Amino acid sequence: MNMLRALFVRREAGIAVMIVLFCLAVGAIKPQFLSLDQLRIILLLTPLIMIAAMGQMMVIVARHVDLSIGSTLGFSAMVSGMLYRFDVDWFGFDVPWWTGIPVSVVVGALLGFGNGVLIQLFRLPAIIVTLGTLSLYRGLTFIISNAKQIDRQWIPSEIKGLSQTSPFTFPEFLPVVGKFNIPWIVVLAFGIAVLAYLFLMHTRMGRQIYAIGSNPVAAPLRGINVTQVTLTVFTISGALAGLAGIMYASRWGFVNPSNTGNGFEFQVIAAVVIGGVSINGGVGTVLGTVLGVLLLGCVAAALPLLGIPGTSQAAIYGAVILIALLIDRTVRQQGIVGLRRVRP
């Protein structure tokens, strides 16, 4: 009983219950929602958000916010796309297909590091700095691409295959499951989540991120290098947004300077907040963030089945955020469920 009680006082349990109830409600209206095909659709809707959400979670736990991740994703994806398109003109040979992955990650990390430097150099709020770089990085995307799209034929088939092929092979005696596969991009996203958990829970830097978010005034007095931690979380956020950029090219097969990553920051922040990460810093878990991403994936997958136009998706995301925040506030005030605070 004590173990069950300890389980259900966690915020993550409430999110998991919301996912189950939502799926059952939609399944009652549209039974096809509760199928393996629909599960695959949900999983394919989540990797980009999940990858970037791991970095955004660290930033928010450290009592900041990164509004520029959508533009970082778009710029990184465009740089990698141009690398594939103009490789012969630039280098005189075809670059290996995997080259775009580290290039996109490094470009994203540099943009994220730039955010951190501006925040620490001018002592400005992160929301102001990243609001500015959101427009700056988007403008740079238009400039370097000359406002031209990277079409599908320029994206290597191996990159596109990351969203279509699976590392798992199910036995032939499981005919139903055998039709279901988990693409590489989904495996990568969950792998990033595992690495984020190990970093936050089992490294000194991870504990310092929580310490700064819990009490930024006392953190320097305890010997924590606030500048180093701030630069680290923004660099990680940028690097993961860059990785999401090349995965965007894999998932959709093109890179458009105006559409790629547009509004992406809203989806990521929605997943993080729904997952129980406090906007006041110091609180949040990887598991909660993963569940928040999955809840948004379920919502996005349910919209077409329910006949709700995609233009309403932003409104629904906003409503889900408000409902999650109201439920969390009510539960905490009544003392029924305590939001888990992780301390170093």
Side-chain angles (χ1 to χ4, degrees):
M1 292 299 296
N2 290 334
M3 293 180 63
L4 288 176
R5 189 177 298 110
L7 174 64
F8 282 100
V9 298
R10 294 172 62 95
R11 172 68 185 270
E12 293 89 339
I15 305 171
V17 170
M18 289 177 62
I19 294 174
V20 172
L21 293 178
F22 178 83
C23 291
L24 291 176
V26 177
I29 302 172
K30 297 289 184 179
Q32 61 267 39
F33 186 75
L34 304 176
S35 65
L36 288 177
D37 289 339
Q38 202 64 33
L39 175 60
R40 188 176 188 277
I41 292 175
I42 293 173
L43 290 177
L44 282 174
L45 287 170
T46 59
L48 303 183
I49 301 176
M50 188 179 299
I51 291 171
M54 293 300 112
Q56 185 72 253
M57 173 203 166
M58 297 181 197
V59 171
I60 295 180
V61 166
R63 201 171 283 201
H64 295 290
V65 67
D66 187 356
L67 298 179
S68 68
I69 54 174
S71 297
T72 300
L73 180 153
F75 185 84
S76 302
M78 182 59 69
V79 170
S80 297
M82 293 178 64
L83 179 68
Y84 293 130
R85 182 176 180 179
F86 301 111
D87 52 359
V88 176
D89 295 336
W90 290 350
F91 307 110
F93 60 90
D94 292 328
V95 301
W97 68 268
W98 51 265
T99 306
I101 299 176
V103 167
S104 189
V105 171
V106 170
V107 170
L110 290 175
L111 297 183
F113 180 79
N115 286 335
V117 169
L118 290 174
I119 291 167
Q120 288 300 114
L121 181 63
F122 297 102
R123 302 296 177 183
L124 294 173
I127 189 172
I128 301 299
V129 172
T130 57
L131 185 62
T133 54
L134 179 152
S135 298
L136 173 63
Y137 297 161
R138 179 64 62 184
L140 291 176
T141 304
F142 276 95
I143 292 173
I144 65 170
S145 65
N146 198 23
K148 294 181 179 179
Q149 175 175 290
I150 302 297
D151 294 321
R152 186 176 184 85
Q153 67 265 26
W154 302 113
I155 307 297
S157 58
E158 292 87 352
I159 291 292
K160 291 180 287 190
L162 294 175
S163 298
Q164 301 166 357
T165 59
S166 172
F168 302 111
T169 302
F170 294 98
E172 294 182 1
F173 61 82
L174 297 175
V176 176
V177 181
K179 299 177 182 178
F180 176 78
N181 62 77
I182 302 175
W184 279 103
I185 190 173
V186 177
V187 177
L188 174 64
F190 280 94
I192 294 295
V194 172
L195 292 177
Y197 170 80
L198 294 175
F199 173 72
L200 289 171
M201 296 293 103
H202 298 283
T203 68
R204 182 180 179 184
M205 178 67 73
R207 293 190 293 271
Q208 289 177 345
I209 292 173
Y210 281 101
I212 291 176
S214 298
N215 195 330
V217 176
L221 302 178
R222 299 183 63 180
I224 297 176
N225 189 329
V226 177
T227 298
Q228 182 184 44
V229 174
T230 301
L231 291 177
T232 298
V233 295
F234 276 99
T235 301
I236 292 175
S237 178
L240 292 180
L243 179 59
I246 190 67
M247 291 301 107
Y248 181 99
S250 170
R251 179 71 180 89
W252 303 111
F254 70 91
V255 182
N256 185 283
S258 61
N259 295 335
T260 302
N262 187 29
F264 183 70
E265 60 280 345
F266 177 69
Q267 300 176 44
V268 173
I269 293 174
V272 171
V273 173
I274 292 171
V277 178
S278 173
I279 58 175
N280 295 318
V283 174
T285 65
V286 170
L287 177 58
T289 301
V290 169
L291 291 174
V293 172
L294 292 176
L295 179 57
L296 288 187
C298 292
V299 172
L303 292 181
L305 286 178
L306 297 176
I308 300 175
T311 53
S312 303
Q313 186 166 327
I316 293 175
Y317 277 175
V320 171
I321 293 175
L322 293 177
I323 292 172
L325 291 176
L326 290 174
I327 291 175
D328 180 62
R329 181 178 177 83
T330 302
V331 165
R332 283 191 297 165
Q333 285 181 338
Q334 293 179 353
I336 298 175
V337 176
L339 182 61
R340 186 189 184 205
R341 181 176 294 271
V342 182
R343 297 184 183 276

